[in-house]
Amino acid sequence: MAVHPQNLVFNGGRRQPKVQKARVGLLALQGDFEEHANMLRRLGVQAVETRRPAQLKTLDALIVPGGESTTIGKLAQQFGLMAPLKDFIRRGRPVWGTCAGLIFLSRHIHAAGSGADVVPPRLAVMDISVNRNAFGRQVDSFEADLAVPSLEQGVRRPFRAVFIRAPRIEKVGPAVEVLATLPDGQTIVAARQGNLLATSFHPELTADTRFHAYFLGMLRKARL
Amino acid sequence: MEATDSKAEKNGDRKAGTWRVKVGLAQMLKGGVIMDVVTPEHAKIAEAAGACAVMALERVPADIRADGGVARMSDPGLIQRIMDTVSIPVMAKARIGHFVEAQILQAIGVDYIDESEVLTPADEAHHINKHDFTVPFVCGCRNLGEALRRIGEGAAMIRTKGEAGTGDVVEAVRHARAVMGEIRRLQNMPAEELMAYAKSIGAPYDLVKETRALGRMPVVNFAAGGVATPADAALMMQLGVDGVFVGSGIFKSGDPAKRGKAIVAAVTHYNDPQVLAEVSRDLGEPMVGIQVSELPKEDLLAGRGW
């Protein structure tokens, strides 16, 4: 089949077929979902703010943004989103959580630094153990270059990662693939388990669309 | 030289306190409610209600207004106890221009400093040079010029001022409409008029250009000052702000836990009148409130800031 120019999106210097009519939802309860939407639009994908369970039916994939994990968890519970979201994942739809979104996906939560006896409500679908606010308070928030082999196609180019009061993945289960660590080689900050992707940093706060393109790649494979 | 470079590469050129990291935390607060709390118990209630952050202070604005006298930074011991009680970000207020209060707040590790007109100003000509700090700052504004001056000084987040401690939303609406209106006007302006416009509103030229290109404030912009009900909060969201501060409106009401939760839901579902109707039911007594138009001019807080 001929690939028409309007079906192409510009992506990191490579042209690749666009996912036809892909609708990627943004869990829009609280947080930086608008920043994710802007990245998706740059990649030529429809971004849909999602707040009610019925909206999930029309989506091909979902991003759980950065934000406050207790707020997002409580609102998801209050508005009946927990079971429908679990079902969405069981049907193989790709879901990506950044920062608070990672916490929302994780099965185990470690007690963190300050007063974190509150464990936020979450989906608990991804076999990772997470330490919330593991790097400290806002004055300890940082950015750093990461080597992410899955994003590099021949050309070595680090990913500038922004960590905001970020969580850290302490342990991963056997089904989980580690995608990136800090330069210390030990601290896990990005991981994947089948159709689930989790990053403790915020690709949506940079101009680098490679992580979003990687997520759309997961969607393409899921639709084959 | 070489040694430094390889060291920088080893830790991935790790940097704290960058502009992106400061603005980034405010981006994480978007679509959320930041609640004033005066005790660790309040902070717990706010967290349970779904606040995305709390503002730790000794007295809510309604009490500062009632008590009179000089209002200063809160006791660091109180702020620390609140920080130890909750896992969500904790903000605290410093007086306008009082950079030593800000140094103290940074030293105890608060997540955001509000250089606030609710406290008695320490300097009647200058604000804090916020670029000097690792911790990010939020500042109040009544219009675009004031907002861009604060961003020029290093504020990584803006809130429209409203009139704190009144429970009357009219000033919050006035300030949000002023900012949004000025941005709309800017977007229709030809490039050659920007310098004169920057001069007329007293704003840095580069930030005026950036605002025009973005079609929005270059940092996150919340509403504050007078929000007392879920409907007030949704009104501000529909006017185009990124989230809301609620000061006296929650803990001066009859049932803070319930009202707090309702306001959080109203900010998420600000465009859904069905949900707004549902969460506005049976909330008990709102804060009593003071009509801003009945206040003598010298009692207005929003005029503080230069």
Side-chain angles (χ1 to χ4, degrees):
Chain A
M1 199 183 85
V3 179
H4 296 289
Q6 64 268 30
N7 290 340
L8 294 170
V9 284
F10 188 70
N11 172 29
R14 300 179 314 281
R15 282 181 176 274
Q16 51 184 238
K18 176 171 157 183
V19 178
Q20 292 295 317
K21 291 181 204 155
R23 285 168 58 88
V24 177
L26 302 151
L27 193 64
L29 299 173
Q30 190 269 323
D32 72 335
F33 48 87
E34 197 184 356
E35 283 75 356
H36 275 292
N38 292 338
M39 295 295 262
L40 292 173
R41 286 186 199 116
R42 279 178 59 193
L43 294 172
V45 170
Q46 203 183 343
V48 187
E49 291 184 11
T50 305
R51 296 179 175 83
R52 306 301 294 265
Q55 292 174 287
L56 288 172
K57 294 195 182 89
T58 66
L59 302 178
D60 300 303
L62 184 80
I63 296 177
V64 186
E68 195 41 55
S69 53
T70 47
T71 307
I72 293 172
K74 280 168 190 296
L75 285 164
Q77 211 166 37
Q78 186 183 346
F79 289 93
L81 280 154
M82 296 305 237
L85 281 171
K86 281 184 193 167
D87 188 53
F88 187 80
I89 291 165
R90 221 171 301 136
R91 285 185 286 132
R93 302 275 195 266
V95 174
W96 174 17
T98 56
C99 194
L102 171 151
I103 294 170
F104 192 62
L105 296 177
S106 66
R107 191 159 294 161
H108 310 283
I109 300 275
H110 278 266
S114 67
D117 51 337
V118 176
V119 176
R122 61 198 193 286
L123 296 177
V125 287
M126 194 166 174
D127 194 10
I128 54 178
S129 284
V130 172
N131 190 346
R132 290 174 73 204
N133 305 337
F135 298 99
R137 304 197 71 96
Q138 172 61 14
V139 287
D140 307 304
S141 292
F142 64 97
E143 45 184 282
D145 288 336
L146 302 183
V148 191
S150 313
L151 300 185
E152 291 170 0
Q153 277 147 0
V155 196
R156 195 172 155 245
R157 180 155 65 94
F159 193 91
R160 191 69 180 164
V162 184
F163 294 84
I164 312 269
R165 287 171 47 98
R168 182 166 73 196
I169 302 173
E170 301 283 358
K171 266 197 313 209
V172 299
V176 178
E177 178 195 356
V178 173
L179 296 183
T181 64
L182 286 185
D184 66 7
Q186 288 165 8
T187 312
I188 304 170
V189 292
R192 176 175 174 183
Q193 176 188 320
N195 57 331
L196 302 174
L197 176 66
T199 56
S200 58
F201 50 92
H202 298 280
E204 75 280 13
L205 297 188
T206 68
D208 192 338
T209 54
R210 284 180 295 163
F211 250 105
H212 288 79
Y214 176 84
F215 181 62
L216 296 179
M218 287 169 60
L219 170 57
R220 249 187 308 273
K221 279 187 196 121
R223 296 175 117 214
L224 286 178
Chain B
M1 208 42 216
E2 212 168 90
T4 343
D5 283 353
S6 75
K7 199 181 164 202
E9 195 166 310
K10 234 181 185 168
N11 70 11
D13 198 15
R14 183 166 167 160
K15 287 196 178 84
T18 62
W19 180 245
R20 188 150 60 179
V21 159
K22 289 177 173 180
V23 174
L25 178 56
Q27 288 173 285
M28 297 312 133
L29 301 173
K30 284 168 75 175
V33 181
I34 301 168
M35 302 182 191
D36 277 7
V37 298
V38 299
T39 63
E41 294 71 38
H42 277 187
K44 270 284 173 214
I45 293 169
E47 182 176 50
C52 66
V54 291
M55 177 76 69
L57 67 178
E58 275 164 0
R59 293 177 291 172
V60 294
D63 290 333
I64 291 174
R65 192 177 282 288
D67 296 353
V70 177
R72 309 177 177 91
M73 173 188 80
S74 296
D75 187 317
L78 170 76
I79 298 169
Q80 187 76 56
R81 281 194 296 281
I82 290 172
M83 286 164 57
D84 292 343
T85 307
V86 292
S87 66
I88 57 180
V90 177
M91 301 184 167
K93 289 184 194 288
R95 281 180 266 179
I96 289 173
H98 205 316
F99 50 86
V100 174
E101 284 187 350
Q103 290 165 3
I104 292 170
L105 292 174
Q106 173 163 286
I108 64 174
V110 301
D111 296 299
Y112 240 94
I113 295 176
D114 182 6
E115 187 184 20
S116 176
E117 71 283 0
V118 169
L119 305 183
T120 310
D123 189 323
E124 293 197 330
H126 308 101
H127 283 251
I128 297 169
N129 177 16
K130 295 165 273 285
H131 293 295
D132 277 352
F133 291 78
T134 306
V135 65
F137 282 73
V138 54
C139 286
C141 77
R142 286 161 297 170
N143 50 52
L144 185 62
E146 195 175 11
L148 297 184
R149 285 195 294 281
R150 295 296 86 79
I151 297 169
E153 295 157 358
M157 178 178 181
I158 290 293
R159 55 176 174 74
T160 48
K161 286 178 179 171
E163 188 59 32
T166 61
D168 186 348
V169 81
V170 67
E171 293 300 299
V173 169
R174 189 193 314 281
H175 299 155
R177 281 210 184 271
V179 169
M180 302 300 169
E182 285 165 305
I183 292 173
R184 282 189 292 268
R185 210 178 133 209
L186 193 52
Q187 282 180 279
N188 288 322
M189 218 174 267
E192 67 270 20
E193 292 180 8
L194 295 183
M195 183 60 85
Y197 186 67
K199 184 185 170 194
S200 76
I201 64 171
Y205 175 63
D206 288 342
L207 290 174
V208 169
K209 275 202 306 193
E210 191 183 342
T211 304
R212 177 169 173 265
L214 292 170
R216 60 154 291 146
M217 190 94 84
V219 301
V220 167
N221 177 31
F222 272 43
V227 173
T229 67
D232 288 348
L235 172 67
M236 299 316 298
M237 292 298 289
Q238 288 196 27
L239 285 174
V241 300
D242 296 315
V244 299
F245 282 87
V246 185
S248 320
I250 290 173
F251 288 97
K252 283 285 166 191
S253 76
D255 188 344
K258 196 167 178 189
R259 183 168 293 266
K261 191 176 171 190
I263 293 177
V264 168
V267 167
T268 296
H269 296 281
Y270 67 93
N271 254 335
D272 188 335
Q274 290 298 336
V275 175
L276 296 176
E278 220 169 280
V279 301
S280 298
R281 265 173 226 273
D282 306 320
L283 292 182
E285 284 296 305
M287 76 177 281
V288 176
I290 313 165
Q291 204 176 313
V292 173
S293 57
E294 286 176 357
L295 278 173
K297 221 170 176 188
E298 59 273 19
D299 286 357
L300 297 177
L301 303 175
R304 298 165 166 180
W306 346 110

